[in-house]
Structures are given as structure tokens and as C-alpha cells.
Amino acid sequence: MAEKLIKPEELAQGIKHTTPGGDWRDEKTELKRGCFNYGAQPSSTKYLGLPNVRKWQPMHDDWQLPENWKEIIIKGLADRLKRFRSLQVFMDICVRCGACADKCHFYIGSGDPKNMPVMRAELLRSIYRNDFTAAGKILGSIAGGRKLTVDVIKEWFYYFYQCTECRRCSVFCPYGIDTAEITMIGRELLNLLGLDIDWISTPAANCFRTGNHLGVQPHGFKDSVDFAVDDLEENTGVRVEAPINKKGAEVLFVVPSADYFGDPHYFGFLGYLALFHEIGLDYTLSAFASEGGNFGLFHSNEMMKRLNGKIYAEAKRLGVKWIIGAECGHMWRVLHQYMDTMNGPADFLEVPRSPITGTVFENAKTTRMVHICEFTADLIKHNKIKLDPNRNNHWKTTFHDSCNTSRAMGLLDEPRYILNKVCNHFYEMPENTIREQTFCCGSGSGIGTDENLEMRMRGGLPRANAVKYVHEKHGVNLLSCICAIDKATLPPLLEYWVPGVEVAALHELVGNALVMTGEKDRTTDLRGQEFVNNGKEGSEDV
Amino acid sequence: MHVLSSMFIVIFLMAVVFIGAGVLKWQYLFGVIIPYISIAVFVLGVIMRVLKWAGAPVPFRIPTTCGQQKSLSWIKQNKLEAPFTFWQVVARMFMEVFFFRSLFRNTKAELHEGKNLVYGSDKWLWAAGLAFHYSFLIIILRHFRFFTEPALFFIEPIQALDGFFQIGVPELYLTSIILIGAVTFLFLRRIMIPQVRYISLPADYFPLYVIFSIAATGICMRHFYKVDIVYVKQMVTGLLTLNPVVPEGIGSVFYIHLFLVCFLLAYFPYSKLMHFAGVFFSPTRNLANNNRAKRHINPWNPKVKTHTYEEWEDEFREVMKDAGMPLEKE
Ligand code: SF4
Ligand code: SF4
């Protein structure tokens, strides 16, 4: 049911960063087709036990809110002001300096002034002022307040689902005001009224039930892992083992489900399997915790906790020593910033220690969960694997930092270190668009659907533009990244703005370069593409 | 609209004082009662605001990392932007509070020829913000010479530096000019940049007008419409020692100046000006990025309904058995 999309040039030409005159509070927001997500299926919200289950769609006039919707919102907001210092402080201290305004990819790509992070927050703040501050109660509109109406709720819905919670704005705000935090709470409030979107609720319900977003049942999970093992054997001549639910393994390995189903994620999955086999890691996958990605993060902190709980529970049941997490942005935001708080302490695990290099991962001392990039970088540093970067000579790569691993974790140099060891051609995008200033793929936080395509292409414009720069300047033809949502949503984005650039997992490139013991004479990469200049005589430096 | 409405309020306030203190001679009201009230409102208001913030828990550790995390020993951590220890956090906050580190990063995004995005450095806001806050601070410190007898040790050097160029008699203070300039810049920026005008509320213009008027009346008293410093000092020290006196012969400009200061003080705790304290409470800046190394406690960590392994296996036992997967219960 994709909405029709105009040509890239037309879209770009149409972006005007202008503002209407007058007071924004008097404007009514029209929900534009192609720029919002469909409402949740009742079956999913019912399964999760969420309020106000009904059939509804955002384009309908009547959203069938519960009768006491106003009371629910005000109570919900009061409650969250008490529970989140971030919200209380961020409601109070914004000086509306505008430093965050042009930092949001949705504003840059849409020109809609309500997509300036400060405005997004003001949508909520105006209600806060009106109902929770003395000045607002007395002076109302003069104090910057406005009345809570159904139109306000619709506006919240529109703009809180036009924020990918990427936190880029918070890097630039002098007080560290994080609009992502406000969006998250705004969405929690909307969900109290049953205003869920389907691409969050249905994956969340699937994940809750089967263990992963796609709703793949355990035997299906096993099938796809077995399939990958066969695939890898065909490619490399080496038959690896990929244990599932194996009790007593040393490490539990958690991947986002797209890795064993989606394309191009899958090639990265092959990369992990090859790597773990080569170093002889005693690990297991789990069909119960067959998902690292956490769509609960986009819904509410309760939902996040419910979905995340499976990982520790499974680590305990299987009796592993520690956990490795694969390439996934939102998954790592949850694992790094929330997991231990919500579902810890993980005292049944041990402090992670690489059995291959002996390195103790001090930075994961209590969570006991290590990022695959930390793990692999350590292996390479200690010369534990043999790499032939020439096998990636057909790629000229650049690296996209995912918002969450960069701005909510600080994982910046590990992937770059790996990249420099596994390929010969790596070019950085311009400085203002990488590392902590990285631009979002435009489709994170559960809004990467087809019905929302126009907004995604708009939001992804800054990212694509930076890719275009290196594509034109250095002939870059591959964007590598370490996030499952990126791998799903960047291909259509690049096809739209920069045809000729593919997307790959970082560990796909590792898998290509990895020289495996007993491998056959490899002629193709993990995608089955012929190697070029795979100079046997060329440098095989490690 | 907002630009004018808040200006009228300030003009109105000034007129009230002019009539009240200048014409009706209610000097005790404007010279004693209102200052005391405003100080009380300020102090209590700030304390209450801060307690309110402090009372709300920080359920999750959510620093915005703006640099390399601490991970492997051979990867260089960015201690300021991704602090791992308490002291690194202190250093990060120091950079924020004293040098406006985050604002320093400011860039400007422009869409060229409708297709190429270009990012330029944009330090004007940072520079004006810094100039504004530092000159304001120095001016407040300079005022201590009216409050204490003998003058505190730091006043001499500050004054000497501030009047370095020795323009005019009495010499013109640099900070006076800088403050007026910065306020004007911040104001013009608000009305001339469409995006910033769009987000601005009366509450954004209002403090600028008040501060501008305070500075203007201050300069006016020093250079044009001189007030008798001896009387002013008498009055201020009287206020501070809780022996209020209202000396005759202080002109209404002084009362306007004083009243606006009082007004600003009382307005302070209820406005965005609280950002001065709020910045210390911002969880994206004041937390260490050691989430995986140190456990963080959420005091209200909710009990949630989960899907247990047992329930899960019960649902999928048959298919798992067929696929030859390990089971807990056969
Ligand atoms: S940068 Fe921060 S203080 Fe300035 S407008 Fe944005 S959120 Fe408000
Ligand atoms: S978090 Fe990202 S998407 Fe949301 S307002 Fe900030 S910059 Fe925009």
C-alpha cells in the first residue's frame, strides 16, 4: 500500500526552509499521506494487553479516543514528570535558542518548522505550561500555554512519529536537552490512548510471543540458521557449527532477527558464523532470545523491559558465562543504557573475558554483554585471525555510524579499526555527518514503513547527501554499517538519492576478508560476487 | 505580536516606578519592601525549583555520548565527551558551564541549489552567549563595591581591567558595551531569523528587554544622569544589614534600575532563566557513560508481564521436537 512518491529532484527542489508568519499554536496540522504510519492491528495491541483496542487509522477523522482521554493524558503527564527528571528538567529549561533547529534530519529534509527539535518539544511543553505551571494556569496563552484538544493529540501523533529518537539535536543543545527523550514520553502518552502504530506494535507482539520481530517460530529459526550454514559451506568450503539453545556454552550470541532473514543483513550473519568457527568460540544462539532489536524502546519503557527480559533469562537458563551482541543500533541503545537497570543484576554471569585473547572487557563488567565490534577489534589487534583485505577490493566503502551506537554508547573507533583491517578502500564522509554528528537513516524508531516513505526519503536526505559526496568524489560503492534498521532502510534510501551504492554489514566485510583454515579456493564474496584483483601475489598484510 | 507585547509590559513597569517612586514618592515601597520581597521570592523560588528537579529520579543512565567510549585499552577514550568516571563528568560539566562546549559545536545546514547540503561553522550564538553571560557576571561583581565597605579584594582589579581603555570620565566599562551589544544581538537574532522568530514566545523577549533596560539605566546613571553614589551605598548597605534607610535625593532612574532588577529576580525562578541551575541537572550531560560497568538503579523499576521460557516452550514444544531442538520437558 505504498503511497506514491515524487522524483528525487522534485522532492529536493520543493524543500523550503521557511516559516509561516503568526503564532504556531494557531495552526492546525494536516496529516499528509506518505508522512505517517498506519494504526496498530487490534490483534497485536490486544495480545500485548494495551489500552483502547479498536480498529482505527490516522487518516480517519474520528480516532475513537476513550471518553476520558484528557484526564488520561494529564494524569499520564503528571506521573511521568514525577518519574523522569529528564522530562521535568527539559520542560523547564529550554531557552529556545534554536541551536538544535537545523540539526534534525527531518527538518532539513522537510522544511516543516514543526520538525525543528525545539518545536517538537514545544508541542508537549505548551500543554505542560498550560496545565502544570502557575504562570500558565493564570496567564494561559501569554505564558506560552495552549489548551489540550484532539487536534493537539493529532499533532503529537504526527510529529512524535516523525522523530527517529536519534539524539542528534541533543549533541548541540547547550543544556543537553534530548528531544528523543521527549518523543519517547510523548509516544508513551499517545499509547495510553491506544494510539499505537502498527510497525511498532506488531513486531513487539511477535517478539513477545515467538522471541523475534518477524514472528518466526523456533523451527523456522533453526531452518534459517541451518540454511546459512549450508550457504557458508558452499561459499568457503568450510562447514561450521551454529548451535541453538545449547546449554553450558561459554557465550550466548544475540542477533537482531533481520540478520538471519533480511538482506543484506544475512551476509553479515554469515560473517559472524565464519568468524566464530575460525576462532573456535564455544557459543550458542537462542531461539527464545532470537532477537536483540527492541521495538519496545519505541513504545514505552515497560514494553522495552518486557522484550529485553528474555536475554538475561535465557543466559541464565543456558548457563552461559557472558553474552555477545551483534550489529544493531537500537538493540545496543537498550543493552548499553537500559538493560542492567531494568533486568539486572546479571550476577549469574561472569565478567566477559575473551577466551581467545584473554582480554577482560572491563567496560562491560556488570552488564556482561560485549559488542561484536569490541570483540572482533580485540581479535584483530591480537593477530588471532588472518585477513586478506584484497578480497574486498571490489568495494570502495564508507562507514555510517548508527545514531544509537554513536550517540548513546560512544562506539566510534572500534568499527573503523576493523574496517581499516578488512578492506583497502575506506573513505570517511564529511566531518559534520559522521561519528557523534552522524545523520540518521531517517527510518529508525519503528517508522520504517512503506506508507511513511516520503518522510523517510526526506529524513534520510542528509545521510544520503553525505554518501553522495563520497560516491562522487571517491567512487564509493558500499556503505557499511552496524545497525539492522540501517541495513533495512538505507538501501531504498540510497537507491532513491544515490543509485549505485550498496549497503553492507561490517561483518560481511570481515567474513569476506577472513582466511579460514581449510577453506577452498574462494572466488566470490559472501554475496556470491566475484572477487576482483584478488591478488594472491598482492600484499596479504594483516 | 510577542515582540511588542512583552516590550509594552516592560515600558509599563518602568512607568509604574517612575510615577510611584518619582512622582508619588513611595520610596520606601520601591527602595525597601519590593527589594526584600523579590530577594525572598528569588531565593525560595530557586530552592523550590531545584528541589522539585532533585526530587524526580533519574531512572536510566542516558548520557549523550559525543566521543569515543572507554572500551579496549588501546582505543583512546574521549574523556570529556564520553566520561567514564565521576571526575571526567566534572570536567565535562565544567566545559559546558564555563565555555558552553555544546554550543561551540554549532553548525549551520544549508541546502544549496536545492540538492547539496552544506554545513558551515556557526559560532555567533556561542560567542554572543558567552559574551553576554561573562559581562553580566563581571557587572554583578563590580556592583559589590556598592554593597561592601571596604570593597572586597577582587573589585579593584576587575574594575581596572574593565575600564582599561579609559574612555571618558568616569571611564566607560567595556562590559557595559559588551552586555548591551550581546543583548542587542540576541534580540535581533530572534526577530530576524525566521526560524528563531517562529519558536520565540513572549517569555523569550521579555527577559531581554528587562536586561537591556537594566543595563541602559545603569549606564545612564553612571554617565549621564548621575546619582549620588554615597546615598545609594547608604541605602544598599542598609538593606543588606537589615537596617533599611531611604536617603532623600536619589533620582527615579535609580528606582527604575532597582525595580527592574527586583522584578528580574522574582521572575527568575518561574522562567526559562532557571537554565542556569538546570544545566547541572541534565541527565544527558551529568552522567558517566559507564552503563555496562556500573549498575544504575531505577527506584520505580516497574513490574512487567513477561513471557517466560516455560510458557514459550509449552507453545512451541511440538514443532521444536519435530525439528530436533533441545527441550526442557519432553
Ligand atoms: S538547543 Fe536546547 S535550549 Fe536551544 S532551543 Fe534547542 S532544546 Fe532549546
Ligand atoms: S532526536 Fe533526532 S529525529 Fe528527533 S528531533 Fe532530535 S534530531 Fe530530530
Side-chain angles (χ1 to χ4, degrees):
Chain A
M1 277 222 277
E3 309 286 346
K4 250 184 101 67
L5 192 58
I6 54 171
K7 290 210 162 41
E9 305 77 52
E10 262 177 81
L11 193 154
Q13 295 295 344
I15 302 170
K16 296 275 173 292
H17 291 102
T18 50
T19 52
D23 193 322
W24 66 265
R25 289 170 297 172
D26 302 333
E27 296 159 20
K28 189 177 156 185
T29 295
E30 299 294 338
L31 275 65
K32 201 171 144 224
R33 285 262 186 181
C35 301
F36 60 80
N37 285 265
Y38 294 154
Q41 292 290 341
S43 53
S44 302
T45 44
K46 191 159 168 235
Y47 182 77
L48 291 167
L50 301 173
N52 200 19
V53 175
R54 76 222 178 279
K55 254 191 135 63
W56 79 286
Q57 283 307 338
M59 53 279 202
H60 298 156
D61 271 344
D62 181 9
W63 285 15
Q64 305 167 56
L65 302 181
E67 210 152 284
N68 58 339
W69 68 268
K70 230 180 233 180
E71 197 186 314
I72 295 176
I73 290 288
I74 297 298
K75 258 179 72 185
L77 182 53
D79 173 48
R80 280 160 185 78
L81 285 165
K82 283 204 198 76
R83 279 193 290 141
F84 292 90
R85 184 182 298 171
S86 52
L87 177 66
Q88 180 68 63
V89 172
F90 294 165
M91 284 294 113
D92 286 338
I93 62 172
C94 172
V95 296
R96 284 168 297 282
C97 65
C100 57
D102 58 351
K103 307 306 180 285
C104 177
H105 48 284
F106 282 117
Y107 174 63
I108 297 174
S110 71
D112 181 344
K114 285 188 184 158
N115 263 323
M116 297 190 277
V118 43
M119 273 307 304
R120 206 185 306 286
E122 286 288 309
L123 301 179
L124 181 59
R125 220 176 257 132
S126 54
I127 301 302
Y128 165 76
R129 273 190 219 106
N130 201 64
D131 291 52
F132 291 88
T133 67
K137 281 183 195 155
I138 302 164
L139 297 172
S141 158
I142 303 173
R146 65 168 170 166
K147 290 232 152 30
L148 183 57
T149 61
V150 173
D151 283 334
V152 169
I153 296 293
K154 291 189 173 178
E155 191 174 56
W156 283 3
F157 178 85
Y158 196 55
Y159 290 105
F160 290 151
Y161 288 101
Q162 279 181 13
C163 164
T164 42
E165 303 177 356
C166 78
R167 314 183 99 200
R168 189 171 193 266
C169 46
S170 99
V171 168
F172 297 89
C173 172
Y175 317 114
I177 292 177
D178 182 7
T179 308
E181 191 75 1
I182 293 170
T183 294
M184 287 160 84
I185 286 163
R187 289 186 182 187
E188 281 196 12
L189 294 174
L190 290 169
N191 291 333
L192 294 177
L193 303 181
L195 299 173
D196 307 75
I197 64 169
D198 197 52
W199 187 232
I200 292 176
S201 302
T202 295
N206 281 339
C207 193
F208 195 67
R209 176 164 171 256
T210 64
N212 57 70
H213 292 146
L214 299 163
V216 177
Q217 299 192 4
H219 57 303
F221 173 68
K222 182 167 184 300
D223 271 357
S224 38
V225 175
D226 289 347
F227 189 80
V229 170
D230 292 342
D231 239 8
L232 192 62
E233 183 177 12
E234 199 170 304
N235 190 283
T236 64
V238 179
R239 179 134 194 112
V240 306
E241 239 192 289
I244 298 172
N245 291 12
K246 174 179 151 194
K247 284 202 170 171
E250 181 168 0
V251 173
L252 169 65
F253 182 46
V254 179
V255 301
S257 55
D259 281 10
Y260 49 86
F261 261 94
D263 191 344
H265 315 60
Y266 177 71
F267 307 116
F269 187 69
L270 297 180
Y272 311 140
L273 295 185
L275 177 71
F276 290 167
H277 170 85
E278 184 56 25
I279 58 172
L281 185 72
D282 177 18
Y283 77 102
T284 183
L285 292 154
S286 159
F288 176 60
S290 52
E291 177 70 76
N294 192 325
F295 274 52
L297 172 70
F298 319 140
H299 186 278
S300 59
N301 79 82
E302 283 83 3
M303 189 65 74
M304 170 174 30
K305 182 175 175 181
R306 287 167 79 180
L307 301 186
N308 174 260
K310 288 191 174 180
I311 297 176
Y312 274 155
E314 188 66 343
K316 194 168 187 178
R317 187 184 74 87
L318 294 173
V320 300
K321 290 191 184 148
W322 54 286
I323 312 170
I324 296 181
E327 299 180 3
C328 182
H330 293 92
M331 157 173 160
W332 269 99
R333 169 134 205 225
V334 177
L335 300 181
H336 185 73
Q337 297 202 318
Y338 296 91
M339 177 158 81
D340 205 20
T341 305
M342 291 186 308
N343 289 311
D347 42 15
F348 47 89
L349 297 171
E350 290 174 14
V351 175
R353 183 181 159 279
S354 169
I356 320 301
T357 64
T359 300
V360 176
F361 294 92
E362 292 286 343
N363 63 331
K365 218 161 42 190
T366 73
T367 314
R368 291 158 193 196
M369 182 141 185
V370 171
H371 193 287
I372 182 92
C373 284
E374 295 167 342
F375 182 74
T376 306
D378 175 63
L379 290 174
I380 298 177
K381 180 77 180 176
H382 286 88
N383 281 322
K384 295 294 180 190
I385 48 176
K386 196 165 172 225
L387 297 167
D388 178 4
N390 294 325
R391 291 178 179 178
N392 280 316
N393 275 351
H394 52 311
W395 296 126
K396 287 196 166 36
T397 67
T398 187
F399 182 70
H400 162 65
D401 293 90
S402 97
C403 305
N404 289 287
T405 48
S406 53
R407 281 187 285 263
M409 189 171 179
L411 186 94
L412 304 171
D413 286 333
E414 295 87 343
R416 287 179 169 77
Y417 177 79
I418 298 172
L419 205 46
N420 275 312
K421 296 289 180 179
V422 300
C423 71
N424 292 319
H425 310 286
F426 165 46
Y427 304 94
E428 288 278 15
M429 287 180 274
E431 205 190 340
N432 289 317
T433 69
I434 53 166
R435 298 175 75 94
E436 70 273 6
Q437 299 198 29
T438 184
F439 271 111
C440 184
C441 60
S443 311
S445 82
I447 58 180
T449 60
D450 280 354
E451 71 260 22
N452 189 36
L453 200 60
E454 178 182 330
M455 209 55 200
R456 287 170 53 194
M457 295 303 115
R458 289 182 179 281
L461 172 65
R463 170 73 305 152
N465 219 261
V467 176
K468 191 161 147 227
Y469 179 83
V470 283
H471 175 63
E472 283 166 4
K473 187 156 176 208
H474 304 292
V476 161
N477 60 359
L478 187 77
L479 176 71
S480 57
C481 59
I482 51 170
C483 169
I485 289 185
D486 290 338
K487 290 167 207 165
T489 65
L490 284 171
L493 181 84
L494 297 185
E495 198 188 300
Y496 187 75
W497 292 114
V498 210
V501 182
E502 308 270 322
V503 176
L506 181 60
H507 276 77
E508 176 185 342
L509 299 177
V510 174
N512 285 345
L514 186 71
V515 179
M516 295 175 78
T517 328
E519 68 178 12
K520 66 174 190 187
D521 191 11
R522 285 169 73 180
T523 52
T524 62
D525 66 9
L526 294 173
R527 294 186 180 198
Q529 291 188 22
E530 295 281 328
F531 289 137
V532 293
N533 308 327
N534 183 16
K536 291 279 183 310
E537 68 284 356
S539 64
E540 287 213 4
D541 53 330
V542 176
Chain B
M1 239 307 280
H2 298 159
V3 189
L4 293 180
S5 62
S6 32
M7 182 159 77
F8 286 134
I9 297 177
V10 179
I11 293 174
F12 173 75
L13 289 175
M14 290 163 72
V16 167
V17 193
F18 184 76
I19 296 170
V23 181
L24 300 172
K25 304 280 178 214
W26 292 344
Q27 285 159 351
Y28 199 79
L29 175 69
F30 286 98
V32 178
I33 297 175
I34 288 179
Y36 276 139
I37 292 176
S38 73
I39 288 170
V41 171
F42 174 76
V43 173
L44 290 177
V46 167
I47 291 175
M48 274 165 58
R49 225 0 146 54
V50 166
L51 286 180
K52 191 169 166 199
W53 292 338
V58 181
F60 304 110
R61 196 190 282 266
I62 51 164
T64 306
T65 47
C66 301
Q68 173 60 39
Q69 66 162 348
K70 175 172 154 42
S71 67
L72 298 158
S73 58
W74 46 274
I75 287 181
K76 196 168 172 287
Q77 180 211 349
N78 188 331
K79 297 196 168 87
L80 276 181
E81 309 281 12
F84 191 79
T85 65
F86 173 77
W87 287 108
Q88 290 169 10
V89 171
V90 171
R92 183 185 204 187
M93 290 304 293
F94 181 86
M95 293 299 287
E96 283 298 341
V97 173
F98 288 92
F99 300 108
F100 302 3
R101 170 70 185 104
S102 294
L103 204 50
F104 185 73
R105 258 188 283 262
N106 198 20
T107 53
K108 203 171 150 153
E110 269 169 7
L111 199 58
H112 283 197
E113 297 149 27
K115 57 184 204 293
N116 287 329
L117 277 164
V118 181
Y119 311 92
S121 156
D122 184 7
K123 304 232 184 300
W124 283 106
L125 180 59
W126 170 80
L130 211 61
F132 171 76
H133 285 84
Y134 272 104
S135 54
F136 207 148
L137 177 70
I138 292 173
I139 290 170
I140 292 172
L141 292 178
R142 267 212 265 111
H143 276 66
F144 273 74
R145 74 178 187 281
F146 301 124
F147 308 160
T148 53
E149 188 65 62
L152 292 175
F153 68 94
F154 56 79
I155 290 171
E156 253 317 299
I158 287 182
Q159 254 173 269
L161 207 65
D162 211 350
F164 187 71
F165 289 111
Q166 306 210 327
I167 304 164
V169 182
E171 76 262 21
L172 197 58
Y173 286 132
L174 282 180
T175 45
S176 313
I177 309 293
I178 297 173
L179 182 72
I180 291 274
V183 172
T184 310
F185 175 85
L186 292 174
F187 174 76
L188 289 178
R189 184 179 168 275
R190 242 181 225 293
I191 54 171
M192 310 230 316
I193 302 176
Q195 285 83 354
V196 184
R197 187 170 59 228
Y198 190 69
I199 60 179
S200 295
L201 294 168
D204 297 312
Y205 299 108
F206 187 63
L208 289 175
Y209 289 129
V210 176
I211 291 166
F212 184 88
S213 311
I214 290 172
T217 46
I219 291 172
C220 185
M221 275 188 287
R222 183 170 167 83
H223 299 283
F224 308 109
Y225 183 84
K226 306 232 161 79
V227 285
D228 194 320
I229 291 294
V230 182
Y231 290 146
V232 169
K233 200 158 178 171
Q234 239 177 22
M235 183 166 157
V236 178
T237 37
L239 281 173
L240 288 176
T241 52
L242 301 183
N243 286 315
V245 280
V246 184
E248 283 298 318
I250 306 183
S252 19
V253 181
F254 170 77
Y255 283 101
I256 294 177
H257 185 74
L258 180 66
F259 179 77
L260 290 176
V261 170
C262 293
F263 192 88
L264 192 66
L265 278 179
Y267 173 77
F268 210 100
Y270 308 99
S271 69
K272 67 169 195 175
L273 302 179
M274 278 304 285
H275 67 262
F276 97 101
V279 61
F280 295 98
F281 284 85
S282 180
T284 59
R285 293 288 186 272
N286 71 10
L287 289 169
N289 180 39
N290 55 7
N291 312 289
R292 281 186 289 151
K294 251 182 139 170
R295 186 146 194 265
H296 184 79
I297 306 292
N298 173 2
W300 50 263
N301 198 10
K303 286 238 176 322
V304 295
K305 187 178 165 338
T306 57
H307 192 203
T308 64
Y309 179 83
E310 289 71 34
E311 291 166 338
W312 180 81
E313 192 181 292
D314 283 348
E315 184 173 352
F316 297 111
R317 184 164 299 115
E318 286 313 309
V319 288
M320 286 174 73
K321 209 156 143 190
D322 290 346
M325 298 174 76
L327 292 168
E328 289 281 328
K329 276 195 281 185
E330 285 299 323

